[in-house]
Amino acid sequence: MEVRCLGEDEAWDLFRQKVGEITLESHPDIPALARIVVERCRGSPLAVNVLAAVMAGKNSVQEWRYAIDSLTLSAAKFSGTEDEILPVLKVSYDNIKDERVKQCFQYCALFKKGGHIWRNDLVEYWVDEGIIDGREDRYKAEEECYGIVRYLVNACLLVEHKYGNTVTMPSQVHELALWVASNLGEEKENFIVKPNEKLGEIPKVKNWGEVSRMSLSENEIKKISCSPVCPKLRTLLLGFNNLEKISSGFFMCMPNLVVLDLTTNIGLRELPDGISRLVSLQYLNLSHTDIKQLPIASLRELKRLQHLNLEFTGFLKEIAGISSLSNLQVLKLYASFDLDINLVEELELLEHLKVLTVSVGDAYVWEQLMSNPRLASCARNVYFYECEAGETGIISLAETSSRLEDLTIYESNIREIKIDQRGKMCNFMYLVKVEISECQGLQDLTWLLFAPNLGWLDVRESPQIEEIISKEKAARFMDGEADESILPFLKLKYLDLACLEQLSSIYWSALSFPCLKKISVFGCPNLWKLPLGSSSANGCNLVIHGEEEWIEELQWDEEGIKERFTLKGRKSEPVTAYPQNQSELEMLRKRVVDLEEENRTIKQRLERIERFFWQQQQLQQLRMSPQSSIPTMAHPQGPQLARMLPPQTVIHQQRQTQTTLPDMPLKS
């Protein structure tokens, strides 16, 4: 997208706004020097923003003169380029004092120019690559990485997506990052960056011996048969290709490879034995692949492996022997296969484990995990799917599972979520997202009192839920009367409630909701009052969505409060939990663009399924093919629903069925 250049006055006004009047007025000579700085930006809004970020707070004339000298020197270094903005951006890079932050900045050049980069991916790469040392304290290292992302955003070297999950590196900044990563352009084969270039094979490289990082993600590579000698290669990104086979010789001469990312290669069913030669490997991502068996004998040779991602590996039946990977700090099993007792016993042997994501189908097994304080503290993302909670219908969250970030409960008979306080007040301060769908027997979510930073709550199709926060149970948690000094939802941004026939109350009194942007209520015929009052409307841009009739009949305790919120009634039914076909997916994308905040829920769901929608589509085609040996899934609504399953359901039924899916058809 072409960005319009600013006029002289526009550029000055933007710079003055960003750098601040206090800085500009700190010395009478600074405004004139600032004008010279702005001239060097050539009307580029990016350059103006970058230099303003560099100069904000610099109150001495010497600092401003030094900045002008730096721009002159930087322009000389870039004399061979046509881009007049790169010298300006180089000054911002030179202003970074911490060498580790510079390496993190360079790492961002491995991703597609102008494309979205997941913040969590950056954090994991930086820690597992060893740029930020997480050997002693991984949690502290991750927090430092998020701080570095924030620093680069504030320096205008990264642009944050409006929902905060992803960042983008502007094209010119990307050119700068590649330039400095290749030793100011002198070692261009140091970084091989070719994402999304429609490559059908590994590109030819003049000197493999000089390559330190290679990014070939989002291409069309199906087979790798070469055997390069890569003594310096540390990072290899091969995600989002069409990989089906990797020759054993490919990994034979990569002794210093630290990061190997193979995510979302749908046709990849096995790893070559040669992977055992990656003796320096610390990060291995096999998520969203069709790998059927984990070669534990080969992986056992990877003594330094500390991060293994097996999320959404629907064909993988077991990972017996995982305890032999004694240095594992991160093990991700979300939506792969259900946790069982044998696996819990193996997890107990992983002494260095810090992060665990799991799928749970048996409450008894979950209780065994929660009974181990160390393992409970590792739980980050937990997915209960068709979970049987036994006669009691109770699952527990241990006080030590305070690092829990994301909890999803889907099609389960969980009647109560119990907080195991053991005489101590719980605090799930990292929990930011809770989704509950088709949960039978659950009557309330009072335990969310202990989630002070919850940002998104989505509850739907759970017919027995009567209250979100129960006053009676809140008093029980507080050993007496409900203590209104502990208020829920102070960080809540989005509240989505749908198809909750018995729901009559969210909270018993008005709440302030300082961060709330949207409430969406559909199919809740007994909920006629929201916990909103005058305090809720202070500085608030809250939008309330619901059926037209429900919007009109809402009850308000205070006069004039209704007019302080934006009410949007709709005749249509609420959107289903997951897109059901390609056309609906496209429709949802368009609605996200057109309606933005109104469709926050849809946007969140799209982000969760974008990466593996193709896999679901292929599995559905196989299932409906006359040659397919997979039986139609039993369901009260018949075969039609089999074509509309969410990805988690498809994966679950893959591992439950006794019939093996046939090989994926080759592309013509």
Side-chain angles (χ1 to χ4, degrees):
M1 182 177 68
E2 186 175 347
V3 179
R4 180 182 66 87
C5 282
L6 302 174
E8 183 178 336
D9 291 338
E10 289 178 302
W12 172 248
D13 289 342
L14 176 60
F15 185 84
R16 189 173 62 183
Q17 175 191 344
K18 295 292 184 179
V19 84
E21 295 294 339
I22 294 176
T23 297
L24 292 174
E25 295 173 0
S26 58
H27 190 282
D29 290 347
I30 286 180
L33 296 170
R35 288 276 187 180
I36 297 174
V37 169
V38 174
E39 285 176 9
R40 301 294 178 89
C41 296
R42 311 289 185 184
S44 165
L46 173 62
V48 171
N49 280 312
V50 166
L51 277 186
V54 170
M55 302 310 298
K58 296 191 184 299
N59 300 321
S60 71
V61 174
Q62 290 80 5
E63 288 176 304
W64 284 84
R65 287 175 178 159
Y66 178 77
I68 294 171
D69 290 341
S70 297
L71 285 168
T72 303
L73 288 172
S74 184
K77 289 181 180 178
F78 281 88
S79 58
T81 67
E82 297 180 0
D83 197 331
E84 297 176 328
I85 305 306
L86 289 181
V88 178
L89 303 180
K90 178 64 164 54
V91 171
S92 179
Y93 175 79
D94 291 338
N95 193 60
I96 300 173
K97 306 303 180 186
D98 192 328
E99 191 61 34
R100 299 174 309 157
V101 178
K102 286 185 175 181
Q103 290 185 49
C104 291
F105 168 74
Q106 294 174 28
Y107 210 96
C108 297
L110 291 172
F111 300 90
K112 183 172 66 175
K113 186 185 297 186
H116 288 284
I117 311 169
W118 290 85
R119 282 194 318 163
N120 291 347
D121 288 348
L122 281 179
V123 169
E124 290 179 351
Y125 288 139
W126 292 345
V127 173
D128 293 307
E129 178 90 11
I131 298 174
I132 305 301
D133 191 354
R135 288 172 296 180
E136 296 299 323
D137 190 337
R138 187 178 185 93
Y139 300 138
K140 183 178 179 181
E142 288 180 349
E143 289 169 0
E144 184 176 359
C145 289
Y146 283 111
I148 291 172
V149 174
R150 174 55 50 196
Y151 172 87
L152 294 174
V153 168
N154 290 339
C156 299
L157 297 174
L158 291 178
V159 178
E160 189 171 42
H161 189 257
K162 64 180 178 179
Y163 295 131
N165 295 326
T166 60
V167 292
T168 300
M169 178 170 272
S171 296
Q172 290 170 310
V173 179
H174 190 272
E175 292 294 329
L176 172 69
L178 272 180
W179 188 72
V180 296
S182 61
N183 190 19
L184 308 186
E186 294 182 6
E187 300 173 0
K188 292 186 178 181
E189 288 195 344
N190 182 13
F191 264 48
I192 305 293
V193 180
K194 296 181 178 295
N196 197 35
E197 293 193 8
K198 298 184 179 179
L199 300 177
E201 60 183 14
I202 298 292
K204 290 180 172 59
V205 177
K206 184 177 180 180
N207 188 356
W208 279 102
E210 295 302 316
V211 181
S212 63
R213 292 193 170 100
M214 175 176 277
S215 174
L216 302 176
S217 57
E218 299 183 60
N219 280 294
E220 299 170 6
I221 301 171
K222 292 181 65 174
K223 294 182 180 180
I224 298 177
S225 56
C226 57
S227 302
V229 178
C230 311
K232 295 182 180 179
L233 187 63
R234 291 182 57 84
T235 306
L236 180 57
L237 307 183
L238 286 167
F240 296 89
N241 274 277
N242 298 326
L243 273 175
E244 296 175 356
K245 187 174 181 58
I246 303 174
S247 70
S248 190
F250 181 65
F251 294 126
M252 296 298 283
C253 298
M254 298 180 182
N256 290 302
L257 189 67
V258 176
V259 168
L260 175 59
D261 195 333
L262 295 168
T263 185
T264 318
N265 281 286
I266 306 302
L268 188 62
R269 293 172 175 78
E270 61 181 5
L271 293 176
D273 293 336
I275 199 169
S276 64
R277 301 294 292 271
L278 302 179
V279 293
S280 298
L281 197 66
Q282 296 182 176
Y283 173 100
L284 177 58
N285 190 344
L286 298 170
S287 63
H288 301 283
T289 64
D290 286 354
I291 186 167
K292 296 180 178 180
Q293 186 176 1
L294 207 59
I296 293 295
S298 296
L299 295 183
R300 193 176 289 125
E301 301 300 317
L302 310 183
K303 305 297 184 183
R304 298 184 182 181
L305 190 65
Q306 61 185 31
H307 186 132
L308 179 59
N309 189 339
L310 298 172
E311 292 188 331
F312 296 97
T313 49
F315 291 96
L316 190 59
K317 300 295 182 184
E318 62 174 4
I319 53 172
I322 197 71
S323 57
S324 63
L325 305 178
S326 57
N327 283 315
L328 272 187
Q329 290 189 13
V330 179
L331 180 59
K332 296 190 172 185
L333 304 171
Y334 187 97
S336 54
F337 51 86
D338 288 345
L339 195 69
D340 59 31
I341 292 296
N342 293 331
L343 181 53
V344 172
E345 292 175 353
E346 291 216 47
L347 294 177
E348 290 173 344
L349 299 175
L350 294 174
E351 297 179 359
H352 301 289
L353 195 65
K354 297 291 190 299
V355 177
L356 178 66
T357 73
V358 292
S359 295
V360 183
D362 189 320
Y364 172 75
V365 177
W366 172 252
E367 297 298 334
Q368 294 301 112
L369 185 75
M370 287 291 100
S371 67
N372 184 313
R374 185 177 63 83
L375 290 182
S377 69
C378 296
R380 288 279 184 98
N381 294 2
V382 179
Y383 175 45
F384 290 95
Y385 176 74
E386 289 191 351
C387 181
E388 294 296 328
E391 294 181 1
T392 64
I394 297 174
I395 63 167
S396 300
L397 293 178
E399 61 178 347
T400 54
S401 58
S402 57
R403 285 273 174 180
L404 187 64
E405 296 178 358
D406 188 319
L407 176 66
T408 300
I409 302 176
Y410 183 62
E411 283 192 5
S412 298
N413 70 343
I414 297 170
R415 295 194 290 275
E416 184 178 356
I417 300 172
K418 180 183 176 183
I419 306 299
D420 186 7
Q421 298 189 69
R422 301 187 182 181
K424 182 180 177 181
M425 185 64 71
C426 290
N427 188 352
F428 298 98
M429 64 179 298
Y430 293 94
L431 185 61
V432 295
K433 188 173 184 181
V434 172
E435 293 181 77
I436 294 176
S437 180
E438 299 183 48
C439 192
Q440 301 298 319
L442 192 63
Q443 295 182 358
D444 65 88
L445 298 170
T446 308
W447 68 275
L448 291 177
L449 285 170
F450 303 113
N453 295 313
L454 187 69
W456 184 29
L457 176 61
D458 186 336
V459 187
R460 59 185 62 239
E461 298 180 72
S462 299
Q464 283 80 39
I465 288 185
E466 299 176 359
E467 303 169 287
I468 300 300
I469 305 292
S470 163
K471 186 173 185 179
E472 179 184 348
K473 285 193 176 181
R476 202 182 310 158
F477 279 136
M478 306 303 172
D479 295 324
E481 295 185 5
D483 184 357
E484 295 196 11
S485 65
I486 302 178
L487 296 177
F489 308 138
L490 292 177
K491 299 290 181 68
L492 192 68
K493 295 180 180 179
Y494 304 97
L495 175 61
D496 296 281
L497 307 170
C499 303
L500 305 172
E501 292 87 347
Q502 300 301 318
L503 181 66
S504 60
S505 170
I506 295 173
Y507 194 76
W508 60 85
S509 61
L511 294 169
S512 60
F513 289 118
C515 300
L516 193 60
K517 296 180 180 180
K518 189 196 78 169
I519 295 177
S520 175
V521 179
F522 288 93
C524 302
N526 292 310
L527 183 67
W528 294 108
K529 183 183 292 187
L530 300 175
L532 301 174
S534 55
S535 62
S536 313
N538 292 334
C540 179
N541 295 315
L542 177 60
V543 181
I544 301 172
H545 301 270
E547 294 107 335
E548 288 181 349
E549 180 183 354
W550 179 82
I551 289 285
E552 292 173 2
E553 298 296 326
L554 264 178
Q555 300 172 11
W556 305 89
D557 288 337
E558 300 178 50
E559 201 68 37
I561 292 298
K562 176 181 179 180
E563 285 71 27
R564 301 175 71 174
F565 304 108
T566 302
L567 306 179
K568 293 191 175 182
R570 289 209 298 258
K571 293 181 180 179
S572 60
E573 292 297 316
V575 179
T576 52
Y578 291 93
Q580 298 176 354
N581 52 50
Q582 184 67 39
S583 62
E584 184 175 343
L585 183 67
E586 295 302 326
M587 178 190 72
L588 294 182
R589 285 180 179 145
K590 185 176 185 301
R591 290 185 67 190
V592 168
V593 174
D594 293 343
L595 304 178
E596 294 187 343
E597 296 300 334
E598 180 179 349
N599 287 319
R600 169 64 178 176
T601 307
I602 300 169
K603 177 65 179 176
Q604 287 283 350
R605 291 184 187 121
L606 280 173
E607 287 177 353
R608 296 198 91 175
I609 70 166
E610 278 281 351
R611 292 186 174 188
F612 50 87
F613 184 85
W614 183 88
Q615 181 182 18
Q616 180 190 1
Q617 186 181 54
Q618 296 300 309
L619 289 170
Q620 289 168 351
Q621 288 176 1
L622 286 173
R623 182 175 294 106
M624 301 311 296
S625 170
Q627 292 81 21
S628 175
S629 59
I630 300 178
T632 303
M633 286 158 277
H635 193 283
Q637 296 182 26
Q640 290 78 13
L641 192 58
R643 290 192 289 267
M644 304 186 295
L645 292 172
Q648 291 93 333
T649 309
V650 173
I651 292 166
H652 177 81
Q653 292 185 347
Q654 283 178 235
R655 64 175 184 264
Q656 294 297 324
T657 181
Q658 298 300 312
T659 306
T660 303
L661 283 173
D663 289 341
M664 291 289 181
L666 296 175
K667 291 183 179 179
S668 56

